[in-house]
PDB file of all heavy atoms in Angstrom:
ATOM      1  N   SER A1169     -17.052   2.670   4.721  1.00  0.00           N
ATOM      2  CA  SER A1169     -15.604   2.899   4.728  1.00  0.00           C
ATOM      3  C   SER A1169     -15.083   2.717   3.305  1.00  0.00           C
ATOM      4  O   SER A1169     -15.419   1.748   2.621  1.00  0.00           O
ATOM      5  CB  SER A1169     -14.922   1.938   5.686  1.00  0.00           C
ATOM      6  OG  SER A1169     -15.284   0.621   5.377  1.00  0.00           O
ATOM      7  N   VAL A1170     -14.280   3.688   2.888  1.00  0.00           N
ATOM      8  CA  VAL A1170     -13.789   3.732   1.506  1.00  0.00           C
ATOM      9  C   VAL A1170     -12.270   3.840   1.519  1.00  0.00           C
ATOM     10  O   VAL A1170     -11.706   4.672   2.237  1.00  0.00           O
ATOM     11  CB  VAL A1170     -14.382   4.952   0.759  1.00  0.00           C
ATOM     12  CG1 VAL A1170     -13.816   5.056  -0.653  1.00  0.00           C
ATOM     13  CG2 VAL A1170     -15.895   4.875   0.714  1.00  0.00           C
ATOM     14  N   LEU A1171     -11.626   2.979   0.739  1.00  0.00           N
ATOM     15  CA  LEU A1171     -10.181   3.086   0.547  1.00  0.00           C
ATOM     16  C   LEU A1171      -9.941   3.679  -0.841  1.00  0.00           C
ATOM     17  O   LEU A1171     -10.433   3.139  -1.837  1.00  0.00           O
ATOM     18  CB  LEU A1171      -9.527   1.705   0.625  1.00  0.00           C
ATOM     19  CG  LEU A1171      -8.012   1.708   0.389  1.00  0.00           C
ATOM     20  CD1 LEU A1171      -7.273   1.955   1.698  1.00  0.00           C
ATOM     21  CD2 LEU A1171      -7.532   0.412  -0.227  1.00  0.00           C
ATOM     22  N   VAL A1172      -9.185   4.777  -0.896  1.00  0.00           N
ATOM     23  CA  VAL A1172      -8.830   5.381  -2.185  1.00  0.00           C
ATOM     24  C   VAL A1172      -7.352   5.111  -2.436  1.00  0.00           C
ATOM     25  O   VAL A1172      -6.490   5.619  -1.709  1.00  0.00           O
ATOM     26  CB  VAL A1172      -9.113   6.896  -2.202  1.00  0.00           C
ATOM     27  CG1 VAL A1172      -8.692   7.490  -3.550  1.00  0.00           C
ATOM     28  CG2 VAL A1172     -10.583   7.181  -1.920  1.00  0.00           C
ATOM     29  N   ALA A1175      -4.564   8.375  -3.776  1.00  0.00           N
ATOM     30  CA  ALA A1175      -5.388   9.459  -3.230  1.00  0.00           C
ATOM     31  C   ALA A1175      -4.844  10.853  -3.495  1.00  0.00           C
ATOM     32  O   ALA A1175      -5.537  11.838  -3.258  1.00  0.00           O
ATOM     33  CB  ALA A1175      -5.559   9.254  -1.715  1.00  0.00           C
ATOM     34  N   VAL A1184     -11.348  11.367  -2.640  1.00  0.00           N
ATOM     35  CA  VAL A1184     -11.287  11.557  -1.179  1.00  0.00           C
ATOM     36  C   VAL A1184     -12.322  12.594  -0.750  1.00  0.00           C
ATOM     37  O   VAL A1184     -13.132  12.368   0.164  1.00  0.00           O
ATOM     38  CB  VAL A1184      -9.869  12.013  -0.749  1.00  0.00           C
ATOM     39  CG1 VAL A1184      -9.855  12.451   0.710  1.00  0.00           C
ATOM     40  CG2 VAL A1184      -8.855  10.898  -0.992  1.00  0.00           C
ATOM     41  N   LYS A1188     -15.925  11.912   1.238  1.00  0.00           N
ATOM     42  CA  LYS A1188     -16.194  12.577   2.520  1.00  0.00           C
ATOM     43  C   LYS A1188     -17.513  13.353   2.448  1.00  0.00           C
ATOM     44  O   LYS A1188     -18.290  13.338   3.392  1.00  0.00           O
ATOM     45  CB  LYS A1188     -15.046  13.552   2.875  1.00  0.00           C
ATOM     46  CG  LYS A1188     -13.778  12.897   3.352  1.00  0.00           C
ATOM     47  CD  LYS A1188     -13.972  12.031   4.580  1.00  0.00           C
ATOM     48  CE  LYS A1188     -14.431  12.824   5.792  1.00  0.00           C
ATOM     49  NZ  LYS A1188     -14.636  11.922   6.958  1.00  0.00           N
ATOM     50  N   LYS A1193     -16.216   7.192   5.619  1.00  0.00           N
ATOM     51  CA  LYS A1193     -14.942   7.236   6.347  1.00  0.00           C
ATOM     52  C   LYS A1193     -13.874   6.844   5.327  1.00  0.00           C
ATOM     53  O   LYS A1193     -13.948   5.759   4.727  1.00  0.00           O
ATOM     54  CB  LYS A1193     -14.980   6.247   7.508  1.00  0.00           C
ATOM     55  CG  LYS A1193     -13.726   6.251   8.340  1.00  0.00           C
ATOM     56  CD  LYS A1193     -13.806   5.182   9.420  1.00  0.00           C
ATOM     57  CE  LYS A1193     -12.440   5.016  10.057  1.00  0.00           C
ATOM     58  NZ  LYS A1193     -12.307   3.756  10.768  1.00  0.00           N
ATOM     59  N   VAL A1194     -12.900   7.725   5.122  1.00  0.00           N
ATOM     60  CA  VAL A1194     -11.993   7.560   3.984  1.00  0.00           C
ATOM     61  C   VAL A1194     -10.556   7.290   4.436  1.00  0.00           C
ATOM     62  O   VAL A1194     -10.016   7.982   5.302  1.00  0.00           O
ATOM     63  CB  VAL A1194     -12.008   8.825   3.090  1.00  0.00           C
ATOM     64  CG1 VAL A1194     -11.014   8.692   1.949  1.00  0.00           C
ATOM     65  CG2 VAL A1194     -13.412   9.069   2.553  1.00  0.00           C
ATOM     66  N   THR A1195      -9.982   6.258   3.814  1.00  0.00           N
ATOM     67  CA  THR A1195      -8.556   5.994   3.960  1.00  0.00           C
ATOM     68  C   THR A1195      -7.898   6.245   2.614  1.00  0.00           C
ATOM     69  O   THR A1195      -8.343   5.710   1.593  1.00  0.00           O
ATOM     70  CB  THR A1195      -8.310   4.524   4.379  1.00  0.00           C
ATOM     71  OG1 THR A1195      -8.920   4.318   5.660  1.00  0.00           O
ATOM     72  CG2 THR A1195      -6.820   4.215   4.462  1.00  0.00           C
ATOM     73  N   GLY A1196      -6.867   7.065   2.600  1.00  0.00           N
ATOM     74  CA  GLY A1196      -6.166   7.381   1.358  1.00  0.00           C
ATOM     75  C   GLY A1196      -4.791   6.739   1.333  1.00  0.00           C
ATOM     76  O   GLY A1196      -4.078   6.762   2.335  1.00  0.00           O
ATOM     77  N   VAL A1197      -4.445   6.162   0.196  1.00  0.00           N
ATOM     78  CA  VAL A1197      -3.117   5.566   0.027  1.00  0.00           C
ATOM     79  C   VAL A1197      -2.315   6.447  -0.930  1.00  0.00           C
ATOM     80  O   VAL A1197      -2.788   6.759  -2.035  1.00  0.00           O
ATOM     81  CB  VAL A1197      -3.209   4.134  -0.544  1.00  0.00           C
ATOM     82  CG1 VAL A1197      -1.828   3.522  -0.669  1.00  0.00           C
ATOM     83  CG2 VAL A1197      -4.127   3.265   0.313  1.00  0.00           C
ATOM     84  N   LEU A1203       1.307  12.720   1.971  1.00  0.00           N
ATOM     85  CA  LEU A1203       0.483  12.350   3.134  1.00  0.00           C
ATOM     86  C   LEU A1203      -0.280  13.559   3.689  1.00  0.00           C
ATOM     87  O   LEU A1203      -1.482  13.477   3.960  1.00  0.00           O
ATOM     88  CB  LEU A1203       1.362  11.745   4.241  1.00  0.00           C
ATOM     89  CG  LEU A1203       1.932  10.354   3.965  1.00  0.00           C
ATOM     90  CD1 LEU A1203       2.930   9.970   5.052  1.00  0.00           C
ATOM     91  CD2 LEU A1203       0.821   9.315   3.864  1.00  0.00           C
ATOM     92  N   VAL A1206      -3.142  14.683   1.424  1.00  0.00           N
ATOM     93  CA  VAL A1206      -4.328  13.817   1.462  1.00  0.00           C
ATOM     94  C   VAL A1206      -5.083  14.012   2.777  1.00  0.00           C
ATOM     95  O   VAL A1206      -6.316  14.050   2.797  1.00  0.00           O
ATOM     96  CB  VAL A1206      -3.927  12.345   1.197  1.00  0.00           C
ATOM     97  CG1 VAL A1206      -5.112  11.412   1.399  1.00  0.00           C
ATOM     98  CG2 VAL A1206      -3.377  12.206  -0.217  1.00  0.00           C
ATOM     99  N   LYS A1207      -4.343  14.191   3.872  1.00  0.00           N
ATOM    100  CA  LYS A1207      -5.017  14.496   5.153  1.00  0.00           C
ATOM    101  C   LYS A1207      -5.776  15.814   5.039  1.00  0.00           C
ATOM    102  O   LYS A1207      -6.905  15.939   5.515  1.00  0.00           O
ATOM    103  CB  LYS A1207      -3.977  14.627   6.268  1.00  0.00           C
ATOM    104  CG  LYS A1207      -3.549  13.318   6.880  1.00  0.00           C
ATOM    105  CD  LYS A1207      -2.655  13.602   8.087  1.00  0.00           C
ATOM    106  CE  LYS A1207      -1.642  12.498   8.275  1.00  0.00           C
ATOM    107  NZ  LYS A1207      -0.554  12.857   9.182  1.00  0.00           N
ATOM    108  N   GLY A1210      -9.192  15.798   3.759  1.00  0.00           N
ATOM    109  CA  GLY A1210     -10.254  15.256   4.610  1.00  0.00           C
ATOM    110  C   GLY A1210     -10.145  13.780   4.920  1.00  0.00           C
ATOM    111  O   GLY A1210     -11.021  13.240   5.618  1.00  0.00           O
ATOM    112  N   ALA A1211      -9.115  13.102   4.407  1.00  0.00           N
ATOM    113  CA  ALA A1211      -8.995  11.662   4.683  1.00  0.00           C
ATOM    114  C   ALA A1211      -8.905  11.420   6.193  1.00  0.00           C
ATOM    115  O   ALA A1211      -8.191  12.131   6.905  1.00  0.00           O
ATOM    116  CB  ALA A1211      -7.768  11.094   3.985  1.00  0.00           C
ATOM    117  N   ASP A1212      -9.624  10.406   6.653  1.00  0.00           N
ATOM    118  CA  ASP A1212      -9.598  10.064   8.086  1.00  0.00           C
ATOM    119  C   ASP A1212      -8.309   9.324   8.424  1.00  0.00           C
ATOM    120  O   ASP A1212      -7.787   9.451   9.530  1.00  0.00           O
ATOM    121  CB  ASP A1212     -10.805   9.187   8.423  1.00  0.00           C
ATOM    122  CG  ASP A1212     -12.109   9.896   8.112  1.00  0.00           C
ATOM    123  OD1 ASP A1212     -12.502  10.754   8.913  1.00  0.00           O
ATOM    124  OD2 ASP A1212     -12.707   9.629   7.055  1.00  0.00           O
ATOM    125  N   ASN A1213      -7.852   8.523   7.486  1.00  0.00           N
ATOM    126  CA  ASN A1213      -6.603   7.773   7.669  1.00  0.00           C
ATOM    127  C   ASN A1213      -5.795   7.880   6.383  1.00  0.00           C
ATOM    128  O   ASN A1213      -6.365   7.985   5.292  1.00  0.00           O
ATOM    129  CB  ASN A1213      -6.885   6.278   7.916  1.00  0.00           C
ATOM    130  CG  ASN A1213      -7.769   6.079   9.125  1.00  0.00           C
ATOM    131  OD1 ASN A1213      -7.467   6.543  10.207  1.00  0.00           O
ATOM    132  ND2 ASN A1213      -8.882   5.387   8.915  1.00  0.00           N
ATOM    133  N   VAL A1214      -4.486   7.813   6.533  1.00  0.00           N
ATOM    134  CA  VAL A1214      -3.629   7.765   5.343  1.00  0.00           C
ATOM    135  C   VAL A1214      -2.650   6.613   5.501  1.00  0.00           C
ATOM    136  O   VAL A1214      -2.194   6.311   6.609  1.00  0.00           O
ATOM    137  CB  VAL A1214      -2.856   9.088   5.111  1.00  0.00           C
ATOM    138  CG1 VAL A1214      -3.752  10.164   4.570  1.00  0.00           C
ATOM    139  CG2 VAL A1214      -2.143   9.539   6.367  1.00  0.00           C
ATOM    140  N   ILE A1215      -2.342   5.973   4.379  1.00  0.00           N
ATOM    141  CA  ILE A1215      -1.353   4.893   4.369  1.00  0.00           C
ATOM    142  C   ILE A1215      -0.284   5.262   3.353  1.00  0.00           C
ATOM    143  O   ILE A1215      -0.596   5.587   2.198  1.00  0.00           O
ATOM    144  CB  ILE A1215      -1.995   3.545   3.971  1.00  0.00           C
ATOM    145  CG1 ILE A1215      -3.055   3.136   4.996  1.00  0.00           C
ATOM    146  CG2 ILE A1215      -0.919   2.463   3.845  1.00  0.00           C
ATOM    147  CD1 ILE A1215      -3.868   1.893   4.589  1.00  0.00           C
ATOM    148  N   ASP A1216       0.962   5.222   3.809  1.00  0.00           N
ATOM    149  CA  ASP A1216       2.100   5.492   2.932  1.00  0.00           C
ATOM    150  C   ASP A1216       2.548   4.172   2.324  1.00  0.00           C
ATOM    151  O   ASP A1216       3.129   3.334   3.003  1.00  0.00           O
ATOM    152  CB  ASP A1216       3.218   6.130   3.764  1.00  0.00           C
ATOM    153  CG  ASP A1216       4.425   6.507   2.925  1.00  0.00           C
ATOM    154  OD1 ASP A1216       4.537   6.021   1.780  1.00  0.00           O
ATOM    155  OD2 ASP A1216       5.245   7.288   3.427  1.00  0.00           O
ATOM    156  N   GLU A1227      -8.254  -3.694   8.710  1.00  0.00           N
ATOM    157  CA  GLU A1227      -9.436  -2.956   8.239  1.00  0.00           C
ATOM    158  C   GLU A1227     -10.074  -3.667   7.044  1.00  0.00           C
ATOM    159  O   GLU A1227      -9.376  -4.289   6.232  1.00  0.00           O
ATOM    160  CB  GLU A1227      -9.039  -1.543   7.781  1.00  0.00           C
ATOM    161  CG  GLU A1227      -8.681  -0.594   8.881  1.00  0.00           C
ATOM    162  CD  GLU A1227      -9.899  -0.067   9.621  1.00  0.00           C
ATOM    163  OE1 GLU A1227     -10.959   0.109   8.991  1.00  0.00           O
ATOM    164  OE2 GLU A1227      -9.779   0.150  10.829  1.00  0.00           O
ATOM    165  N   TYR A1229     -13.129  -2.809   3.920  1.00  0.00           N
ATOM    166  CA  TYR A1229     -13.754  -1.638   3.306  1.00  0.00           C
ATOM    167  C   TYR A1229     -15.017  -2.009   2.528  1.00  0.00           C
ATOM    168  O   TYR A1229     -15.095  -3.069   1.912  1.00  0.00           O
ATOM    169  CB  TYR A1229     -12.756  -0.952   2.370  1.00  0.00           C
ATOM    170  CG  TYR A1229     -11.498  -0.519   3.093  1.00  0.00           C
ATOM    171  CD1 TYR A1229     -10.366  -1.343   3.111  1.00  0.00           C
ATOM    172  CD2 TYR A1229     -11.443   0.686   3.791  1.00  0.00           C
ATOM    173  CE1 TYR A1229      -9.222  -0.975   3.800  1.00  0.00           C
ATOM    174  CE2 TYR A1229     -10.307   1.062   4.482  1.00  0.00           C
ATOM    175  CZ  TYR A1229      -9.201   0.228   4.486  1.00  0.00           C
ATOM    176  OH  TYR A1229      -8.074   0.595   5.178  1.00  0.00           O
TER     177      TYR A1229
END
Side-chain angles (χ1 to χ4, degrees):
S1169 54
V1170 177
L1171 178 87
V1172 178
V1184 170
K1188 285 302 297 179
K1193 182 184 169 199
V1194 177
T1195 298
V1197 182
L1203 289 172
V1206 173
K1207 277 187 211 165
D1212 300 282
N1213 302 305
V1214 285
I1215 297 173
D1216 183 344
E1227 288 284 327
Y1229 301 95

